[in-house]
Amino acid sequence: MAKRILVVDDAAFMRMMIKDILSKNGYEIAGEAENGLKAVEKYKELMPDLVLMDITMPEMNGIDAVKNIRAIDSAAKIVMCSAMGQQAMVIESIQAGAKDFIVKPFQADRILEAVRKVVG
């Protein structure tokens, strides 16, 4: 069965690009969200195998969303995506419970590598 992935990014074109890469490679798009608050709601509703989460978003950032999702499901698998490849952000994401980190602009193979590493 295809792994189900929740795609979270405030930029619609980024969500579209990520969904395109994933679906062409046999992953199922469980849903999408444009901010951290919606990501937490969607996670509860859909219980996906993996979340691809942007860091910088309105209403609730990705790091807070990771903490909220991990509070709901301690086994949640989350990969962070951000244009800001700052060391502090990466460390904070990992400490919050993210399994991997992808820096934008990313290559399709880097997304797939991170997804495979986390969910197989």
Side-chain angles (χ1 to χ4, degrees):
M1 200 173 103
K3 295 290 182 190
R4 297 170 58 253
I5 302 175
L6 174 61
V7 178
V8 185
D9 197 303
D10 56 330
F13 77 93
M14 288 305 294
R15 293 196 308 271
M16 194 179 72
M17 203 172 83
I18 294 167
K19 288 188 306 184
D20 189 53
I21 292 165
L22 294 171
S23 55
K24 279 182 180 159
N25 286 277
Y27 294 97
E28 182 187 326
I29 307 306
E32 59 182 287
E34 65 278 1
N35 64 53
L37 277 177
K38 289 218 166 72
V40 175
E41 287 168 20
K42 289 272 188 191
Y43 189 89
K44 282 191 269 199
E45 178 192 325
L46 304 165
M47 298 306 276
D49 296 305
L50 177 75
V51 181
L52 277 176
M53 177 91 67
D54 187 21
I55 287 187
T56 313
M57 296 181 290
E59 293 187 57
M60 181 191 287
N61 69 36
I63 293 168
D64 289 338
V66 168
K67 291 174 184 168
N68 278 281
I69 288 171
R70 301 268 308 171
I72 297 161
D73 177 6
S74 60
K77 293 181 171 77
I78 304 165
V79 173
M80 302 304 283
C81 309
S82 181
M84 295 177 287
Q86 299 150 331
Q87 208 57 41
M89 286 274 195
V90 176
I91 292 164
E92 201 177 341
S93 297
I94 302 300
Q95 285 171 339
K99 304 287 186 206
D100 203 349
F101 195 97
I102 306 169
V103 180
K104 293 176 190 172
F106 33 63
Q107 307 300 314
D109 56 0
R110 178 63 187 106
I111 293 176
L112 295 169
E113 175 196 330
V115 169
R116 283 188 200 110
K117 189 173 103 180
V118 177
V119 293

